[in-house]
Amino acid sequence: MRATVMFGAGDVRIENVPDARLVEPTDAVVRVSRAAICGSDLWPYATLERSETSRRMGHEAIGVVEAVGADVRTMNVGDLVVMPFAFSDGTCIFCHEGLQTSCVHGGFFGTPDVDGAQAEAVRVPQADGTLFVLPVGEDDALMPSLLTLTDVMGTGHHAAVTAEVGPGKTVAVVGDGAVGLCGVIAARRLGAERIIILGRHPDRIALAREFGATDVVSKRGEEAMERVRELTDGFGVHSVLECVGLEQSTLTAIAIARPGGAVGRVGVPQDETMPASLPAFYNNVTVGGGPAPVRAYIEELLSDVLEGRIEPGRVFDRVVGIEGVPDGYRAMNDREAIKVMVQP
Ligand SMILES: [Zn+2]
């Protein structure tokens, strides 16, 4: 089968690889009908050192179950399923607490242990706990929005939940990538009164406004912080969704939270240490977040997608076939595309 392999920074190729197959009795094999390229795939695309071992990429997919292991109980061959970016057993203490990304038998797709999903098919460990069977068919026009439930919509929602967004609150979203845009949707969905997006790409800002952003701050650094304070009577916002992961964006996120506010971090941190420890401390700002347990959120978000109340699939502004994946990486890296959907 054909699959996406990264050999080093800037070097993504489509290769022939052995077909995905069942290994454990708890596995399923899923034929991928839609996959996606993630903003987090761009970090290795920029920095991965060339080595002996190449990396099989991709952690977002919707597909059709092609085979199930002997112990799989909750799905059948032919079911259409959503595959969250992390696999989880659904039964351990953390899964029961809704934190599937810390599952004691869990892990992540597109790692040395489990192959990626930017491919014609993918092996899914812990199929019963991981996959969610969809009540719609494969050609459904809702596919792009359903695909965001594998990562970006669930991640934006997690940022909003950990930032304690609620009715009447003022919210800031740092970052105008696909996760930030989904964070705007999530903040509005949870009842935020005012949503300030910090970003500088005109096409993304326009989409953010359609998703519910009420104010735009296109400055960076100190100027951005100053502008947010101006918009909020000098106090800052109740809730900040940090959707980038860089030192500057994290610093900004903490600086624009008002005393007693909360920051939800979902941008993968690119630094070992966290900035703005002193303002976070003196302002009693709660800093939370981490890898989103998107599996926990699928059911809650699904009905809004199916009934058309939210349209996160609009973040996809380009579709490629499997052979077009390398150019999809380039387009996202050059900020030519917000997010690329793969139709193998
Ligand atoms: Zn678990």
Side-chain angles (χ1 to χ4, degrees), residues 228-250:
V228 173
R229 282 188 211 106
E230 279 169 21
L231 290 169
T232 53
D233 299 327
F235 295 131
V237 300
H238 297 100
S239 304
V240 187
L241 285 57
E242 200 292 304
C243 305
V244 179
L246 293 174
E247 184 186 16
Q248 179 64 60
S249 60
T250 308

Side-chain angles (χ1 to χ4, degrees), residues 4-14 45 57 118 325-326 329:
T4 304
V5 185
M6 188 180 285
F7 290 87
D11 186 3
V12 174
R13 302 179 214 167
I14 307 305
Y45 189 71
M57 301 298 294
Q118 289 158 6
V325 168
Y329 273 80

Side-chain angles (χ1 to χ4, degrees), residues 174-303:
V174 179
D176 60 5
V179 171
L181 294 169
C182 288
V184 172
I185 296 176
R188 185 186 192 180
R189 190 180 162 277
L190 293 172
E193 183 175 297
R194 196 165 180 200
I195 304 169
I196 304 166
I197 179 132
L198 282 72
R200 40 203 291 137
H201 301 88
D203 53 335
R204 299 167 188 219
I205 294 300
L207 193 51
R209 282 197 183 275
E210 290 184 45
F211 284 160
T214 54
D215 300 87
V216 176
V217 171
S218 295
K219 307 281 186 201
R220 269 186 178 166
E222 195 59 50
E223 281 184 300
M225 300 173 201
E226 194 49 47
R227 183 73 190 122
V228 173
R229 282 188 211 106
E230 279 169 21
L231 290 169
T232 53
D233 299 327
F235 295 131
V237 300
H238 297 100
S239 304
V240 187
L241 285 57
E242 200 292 304
C243 305
V244 179
L246 293 174
E247 184 186 16
Q248 179 64 60
S249 60
T250 308
L251 183 70
T252 301
I254 293 170
I256 61 177
R258 73 184 217 161
V263 176
R265 304 167 76 206
V266 292
V268 181
Q270 298 304 300
D271 298 292
E272 191 65 35
T273 55
M274 194 158 78
S277 160
L278 288 178
F281 178 83
Y282 282 106
N283 289 327
N284 273 281
V285 169
T286 300
V287 180
V294 299
R295 182 63 179 79
Y297 299 137
I298 290 176
E299 207 152 2
E300 177 183 351
L301 298 170
L302 180 64
S303 56

Side-chain angles (χ1 to χ4, degrees), residues 88-92 95 103-105:
S88 55
D89 61 11
T91 55
C92 77
C95 285
C103 175
V104 299
H105 300 115

